Amino acid sequence: MSKSITSVASNALRWSMPKLESVWPSAAGQIAVNLFFRPFQSRPHPIWKGLELSSWKKVIQIDGKSIMSYSWGTGDKHILLIHGWSGNPAQFSGLITELIAQGFRVTTFDLPAHGESSGSSTGILEVSEAIM
């Protein structure tokens, strides 16, 4: 989202949520849950497709959810890259390419409810479990 659209949406929420909460608390609560626990899907960087195809993909099961991981390289030094909320591993495409070229082994993954990992909602506890 562009900054101006984000700002307008943020202002609209700030204005409307207290009003909705006063007349229909359960609806306001459901909207808040959706905003805080359902990440937006972002588009991968164009060079990600080639990187993804060259990776070793592995599905890891955590608390009944499938977490998709990607690895490259065979070096002794291993780096784990973790994207942010509503992000994706493709955001590291340039960094991954450079680290592989320098001989590192690189691993990243789709957080729960992101990208190719299962689920449509998640929270900080589930995300921290996936990182561990």
Side-chain angles (χ1 to χ4, degrees):
M1 267 195 238
S2 74
K3 191 172 184 176
S4 62
I5 292 172
T6 304
S7 179
V8 169
S10 177
N11 288 337
L13 276 172
R14 245 186 307 240
W15 179 85
S16 62
M17 286 300 283
K19 290 160 182 52
L20 181 59
E21 186 178 22
S22 68
V23 295
W24 197 3
S26 63
Q30 188 58 51
I31 289 170
V33 165
N34 286 338
L35 286 172
F36 291 113
F37 294 99
R38 294 184 187 274
F40 297 105
Q41 295 299 320
S42 56
R43 287 187 169 175
H45 190 280
I47 66 170
W48 173 249
K49 201 60 177 166
L51 270 175
E52 180 186 10
L53 290 173
S54 69
S55 72
W56 296 292
K57 292 171 89 172
K58 181 179 180 183
V59 177
I60 303 163
Q61 296 296 320
I62 299 174
D63 290 337
K65 286 196 174 180
S66 298
I67 307 299
M68 180 60 73
S69 69
Y70 312 88
S71 294
W72 301 264
T74 57
D76 292 334
K77 294 181 181 178
H78 192 182
I79 296 177
L80 175 64
L81 300 174
I82 304 167
H83 66 77
W85 188 259
S86 293
N88 62 62
Q91 293 167 311
F92 300 119
S93 294
L95 180 58
I96 291 167
T97 303
E98 184 60 32
L99 289 169
I100 295 166
Q102 291 186 24
F104 287 92
R105 190 169 129 209
V106 181
T107 298
T108 188
F109 62 96
D110 288 315
L111 293 176
H114 289 73
E116 291 188 46
S117 292
S118 66
S120 60
S121 65
T122 192
I124 190 66
L125 296 177
E126 200 170 68
V127 167
S128 65
E129 179 113 1
I131 293 169
M132 298 299 166

